[in-house]
Amino acid sequence: MSEHKTTVQWNRDGKPFTPEGYSRDHAWIFERGQRLTGSAAPAYGGSDRGVDPEEALVVALSSCHMLTLLAIAAKKGWVIDSYADEAVGTLGKNEAGKLALTRVTLRPRIVFAEGSAPDAEGLQRLHHSAHEHCFIANSVRTEVAIEPQ
């Protein structure tokens, strides 16, 4: 198995530490050196400069589904020329009445190389298999819907 390490860093930077006054911007630092700016969603006092955790979870689910699907398709000999997904996460109250991402809808649009596409049933099986084997989807309780485009 593997481990995946990240660091989150935040500093007050001399700003007032009041509910409205502190910055929500912070650094996401990944094990291989990549850095991203994280923030809260603008509705929760965050800035447009950062990716909020909800967006990060949605893109992680989308990316994992894609990477898993690409691996399965390659093993089956189906050649994919492009893949795009306009995924949407819905924040709402869960069964315990707490705010949560209650649903993530993936809307993958796949272009296969000429003569390489599976039939409609094969495409459904491909998406189902990718979802079943996606590490991130297997790690969350959020409903993940897949609506191929």
Side-chain angles (χ1 to χ4, degrees), residues 50-131:
V51 176
D52 66 65
E54 297 82 13
E55 291 171 314
L57 181 57
V58 172
V59 79
L61 282 161
S62 175
S63 179
C64 185
H65 183 83
M66 179 198 69
L67 291 168
T68 306
L69 185 141
L70 293 175
I72 295 167
K75 287 178 185 173
K76 292 193 174 284
W78 293 326
V79 178
I80 295 175
D81 286 337
S82 66
Y83 183 110
D85 183 9
E86 294 180 9
V88 176
T90 303
L91 191 65
K93 297 235 175 156
N94 64 15
E95 60 281 350
K98 306 226 183 229
L99 277 178
L101 275 174
T102 55
R103 180 179 174 91
V104 173
T105 302
L106 307 181
R107 295 189 174 105
R109 183 178 313 266
I110 302 171
V111 176
F112 288 88
E114 190 171 330
S116 180
D119 61 18
E121 186 179 316
L123 183 59
Q124 277 301 103
R125 282 195 313 269
L126 177 60
H127 279 293
H128 178 75
S129 184
H131 181 65

Side-chain angles (χ1 to χ4, degrees), residues 1-2 4 56-58 60-62 64-65 68 101 104 130-144:
M1 291 296 128
S2 60
H4 304 272
L57 181 57
V58 172
L61 282 161
S62 175
C64 185
H65 183 83
T68 306
L101 275 174
V104 173
H131 181 65
E132 290 293 311
H133 291 92
C134 171
F135 307 150
I136 306 300
N138 289 329
S139 302
V140 298
R141 292 185 290 165
T142 297
E143 177 185 353
V144 180

